[in-house]
Amino acid sequence: MKNKLLYMALFVMFVNSNAQVGIKTPTPQNTLHVNGSLQIVKDLNVGGDARTAGNSGNKGEFLMSNGTGNTPVWKTIESENFLKVVYVGNKTNIRPANGSYTGTHNTPVNTHENYSQTYIFNVTNKIDTAYLTYNSSTGLFTVVKPGFYNIVPYDTYDLNLNGNGQTAGTANSYIQKVAPAVTTLAGISTGHGERTTGLNHNLSSINFFNTGETFRIRCRYTQNFRLSSGNIHISYLTP
């Protein structure tokens, strides 16, 4: 009996002639009016009726209003055309660890795919494997969920090991689809004078990928080069 009285004293529930219930308020403005915090330990069900349980939604969905008098609905971020960041990575090392990659030593640089090197991100800050996976040994991204992906890498080159007369040249960075066929999705080419010891490229590409398709970031230079620090973020746009 004491517990019941304490419960009533804490929650002070009032019921008016319209069957509106107020918790900690004598003037409820809706069927249930709570003047305080609300804790839900399990499901939050919306919709349904007297004989049917409402919908508790799926993992990762959010509740969106459907307007006055209408049942709210569970939505996914991508269904509302929001950007969903699915990968964030960094490169904090220099590759190769010893020596340099061999440059093409002639132009035009874009004809020498065999001199290109894959830019590998050695730190994965965030990855949603429901959308894609990443192989930190090969630098290859594999798409899990089909849709449009916004790929935004930033890469840098280190030329400090090159001697006099061996730094001027052309750098080319690009986003490359590997499977089902090798295709350049976006690229940038820049020329650099003698005694250039470092350079950087920003890239961006929005493309549709099917499940199982792969892509990577590639780099090449006319002189010998190393690949230094950089980063990338990839967002999922729409299915």
Side-chain angles (χ1 to χ4, degrees):
M1 184 64 181
K2 289 182 179 180
N3 288 338
K4 290 182 179 179
L5 291 174
L6 179 60
Y7 179 84
M8 293 176 68
L10 289 173
F11 291 95
V12 193
M13 180 177 291
F14 299 91
V15 181
N16 67 15
S17 59
N18 293 322
Q20 291 178 314
V21 178
I23 299 177
K24 289 191 177 181
T25 175
T27 57
Q29 302 301 304
N30 283 288
T31 305
L32 175 62
H33 185 164
V34 180
N35 180 18
S37 58
L38 175 66
Q39 179 174 331
I40 300 174
V41 178
K42 292 187 178 180
D43 294 351
L44 173 61
N45 298 87
V46 296
D49 53 36
R51 296 185 177 182
T52 306
N55 183 2
S56 61
N58 298 309
K59 183 178 179 181
E61 292 181 331
F62 64 92
L63 194 60
M64 175 179 286
S65 171
N66 236 353
T68 303
N70 299 313
T71 303
V73 292
W74 295 102
K75 292 280 189 176
T76 61
I77 290 177
E78 58 266 25
S79 71
E80 299 308 302
N81 293 327
F82 292 125
L83 287 174
K84 179 179 176 63
V85 178
V86 296
Y87 185 85
V88 177
N90 285 90
K91 180 175 174 57
T92 61
N93 58 5
I94 293 181
R95 288 172 66 102
N98 298 301
S100 301
Y101 293 123
T102 301
T104 64
H105 297 297
N106 55 57
T107 57
V109 67
N110 60 358
T111 63
H112 302 283
E113 170 63 24
N114 55 315
Y115 286 98
S116 296
Q117 301 294 331
T118 300
Y119 199 84
I120 294 179
F121 304 94
N122 62 301
V123 178
T124 293
N125 306 106
K126 174 182 178 178
I127 184 168
D128 190 331
T129 54
Y131 292 82
L132 53 74
T133 60
Y134 181 62
N135 187 321
S136 59
S137 296
T138 63
L140 206 63
F141 292 92
T142 302
V143 173
V144 175
K145 183 172 183 176
F148 285 93
Y149 286 81
N150 184 22
I151 307 164
V152 185
Y154 168 78
D155 58 60
T156 67
Y157 295 65
D158 184 297
L159 309 176
N160 280 292
L161 295 185
N162 292 346
N164 291 332
Q166 298 175 0
T167 57
T170 303
N172 184 219
S173 300
Y174 52 107
I175 302 169
Q176 182 185 68
K177 181 187 287 188
V178 181
V182 177
T183 308
T184 297
L185 304 177
I188 183 173
S189 181
T190 56
H192 303 274
E194 177 58 23
R195 296 322 308 152
T196 298
T197 57
L199 60 101
N200 60 79
H201 284 161
N202 284 288
L203 287 156
S204 179
S205 177
I206 298 177
N207 292 93
F208 185 88
F209 291 90
N210 288 304
T211 300
E213 292 186 337
T214 59
F215 62 90
R216 62 189 176 185
I217 312 304
R218 299 281 275 175
C219 302
R220 56 180 172 247
Y221 195 61
T222 48
Q223 304 291 351
N224 294 349
F225 64 98
R226 297 189 295 173
L227 296 175
S228 46
S229 62
N231 56 71
I232 187 173
H233 71 267
I234 302 172
S235 300
Y236 183 82
L237 302 180
T238 57

